[in-house]
Amino acid sequence: MGHKTKREFTKETFTAYGLLSPFGWGEICYRDFEAAIGGSMLIKPDMSHLSTWPNIYASDMYKSLKWDFSDLDNLNILFEEPKKCEDSVNRVRREYLNSLNNVVTRCINMIKKI
């Protein structure tokens, strides 16, 4: 495998069926959004404790794992229910892209509240 350039990583992400995204320096990372745009199923520790915008961590938009990864071997859903996974990937992609279309309105509304 070895080191990959950013371009190689992105290209591979766009062809991967699923993308494992463990916590790094925080719960949320670029990899989560790369999965959304690239069309990969996000596989990540449970994010139900966070409220985010856009909410790409809704329970039907990614494959949630236990924080200790003890259920990592239960990823058979990715292969046994490909339609369900494809629907999840499409939902998260729409959510993310819709949020980009509404970011100006959201910022204006946040400034008005301040």
Side-chain angles (χ1 to χ4, degrees):
M1 298 216 0
H3 177 77
K4 295 202 179 290
T5 65
K6 175 66 175 162
R7 183 182 192 102
E8 291 169 330
F9 174 79
T10 302
K11 185 177 178 181
E12 191 170 316
T13 298
F14 280 40
T15 62
Y17 194 67
L19 188 61
L20 182 62
S21 183
F23 296 158
W25 289 354
E27 291 96 335
I28 300 171
C29 67
Y30 292 119
R31 191 177 317 109
D32 302 354
F33 296 93
E34 291 166 340
I37 293 300
S40 297
M41 181 69 161
L42 180 62
I43 306 163
K44 190 167 187 74
D46 179 48
M47 297 288 284
S48 63
H49 64 289
L50 287 179
S51 176
T52 63
W53 182 85
N55 186 13
I56 66 166
Y57 306 110
S59 62
D60 62 344
M61 292 190 192
Y62 77 109
K63 174 60 178 154
S64 174
L65 297 172
K66 293 181 182 176
W67 280 32
D68 65 1
F69 289 101
S70 61
D71 57 347
L72 188 61
D73 57 348
N74 293 335
L75 294 178
N76 54 349
I77 186 174
L78 297 175
F79 306 104
E80 293 174 356
E81 299 183 40
K83 178 67 174 135
K84 184 176 181 180
C85 291
E86 184 180 330
D87 291 346
S88 293
V89 167
N90 288 333
R91 268 192 303 280
V92 72
R93 183 182 277 166
R94 276 192 310 274
E95 178 73 19
Y96 181 63
L97 293 175
N98 286 340
S99 70
L100 291 177
N101 290 330
N102 297 316
V103 72
V104 172
T105 302
R106 183 165 172 87
C107 288
I108 290 169
N109 289 338
M110 289 173 66
I111 291 170
K112 286 179 181 178
K113 284 184 180 181
I114 294 174

